[in-house]
Amino acid sequence: MQTFYIHPEDPQPRLIEQAAALLRNDKLIIYPTDTSYAFGCRLGAKDALDKLKQIRELDDKHQFTLLCRDLSEIATYAAVDNVQFKQLKAHTPAPITFILNATKDVPKKLAHAKKKTIGIRVPSNPIAQALLTAMGEPILTSSMILPTHDHVLDDPFDIEELLGNQIDGLINAGIKTTKLTTIVDMTSGQPVIIRQGAADVSSLLL
């Protein structure tokens, strides 16, 4: 496993590029977001996705999320109308995962098996944004929730000790907050809060 010590506010481009190279080579990494650390891999990276599912003990019903640089990437993967787009624009970037109807461009393994939905998230974290810029495409992301723990891991040294032999790369940006994203279902016209997390989305429900 490679460890990258990256500044949380001013990411070093050389190290970001090295981490992005792992993603491009279909590797599984752990990186910081605007809430906590998370798993990340490239779309279509079968081995990395299998590894992620094994680590988190996920089944085919799990709702995966795409980390996007901005809203310009959303149309490829999610079907949104004008009202939804305005709502998304007013609430991004932020620690919010929006559940949207998936388009046909979303790989079947990533869309929810029955609902055909996909999670979309636009982060404000400088490292996450730098990674997305280096990749030029969304990253498949998943929370650092482990079946053996009842809390989200916040210390990168604990993460390294626990998962170092199961992942390919770790971006160490120091201890992070362990809040989870707020999850909002946007598929039925009226937004519905699935999980209240770090972001206040009460204005969405008006």
Side-chain angles (χ1 to χ4, degrees), residues 51-59 62 145-148:
K51 199 180 292 186
L52 168 56
K53 284 183 172 181
Q54 187 175 5
I55 293 171
R56 285 203 55 194
E57 296 182 7
L58 302 176
D59 58 24
H62 182 73
I145 300 172
L146 302 178
T148 52

Side-chain angles (χ1 to χ4, degrees), residues 155-166:
D155 188 328
F157 292 103
D158 290 343
I159 294 170
E160 185 171 357
E161 185 177 340
L162 194 66
L163 297 172
N165 62 346
Q166 299 179 68

Side-chain angles (χ1 to χ4, degrees), residues 80-89 186 189 204:
V80 295
D81 59 28
N82 289 337
V83 173
Q84 289 173 322
F85 187 82
K86 287 178 181 177
Q87 290 172 323
L88 293 172
K89 192 171 183 180
M186 304 276 285
L204 257 179

Side-chain angles (χ1 to χ4, degrees), residues 100-175:
L100 301 164
N101 290 310
T103 65
K104 292 178 181 177
D105 289 317
V106 175
K108 288 182 180 179
K109 287 187 177 180
L110 301 187
H112 189 285
K114 290 184 178 178
K115 300 177 185 175
K116 300 295 185 287
T117 55
I118 188 73
I120 297 287
R121 178 178 172 189
V122 179
S124 59
N125 179 276
I127 292 176
Q129 277 288 345
L131 262 184
L132 289 165
T133 298
M135 289 293 291
E137 63 183 53
I139 297 170
L140 173 68
T141 190
S142 184
S143 302
M144 270 292 304
I145 300 172
L146 302 178
T148 52
H149 287 64
D150 56 6
H151 61 280
V152 181
L153 297 177
D154 64 347
D155 188 328
F157 292 103
D158 290 343
I159 294 170
E160 185 171 357
E161 185 177 340
L162 194 66
L163 297 172
N165 62 346
Q166 299 179 68
I167 60 173
D168 303 296
L170 167 66
I171 293 179
N172 184 327
I175 294 177

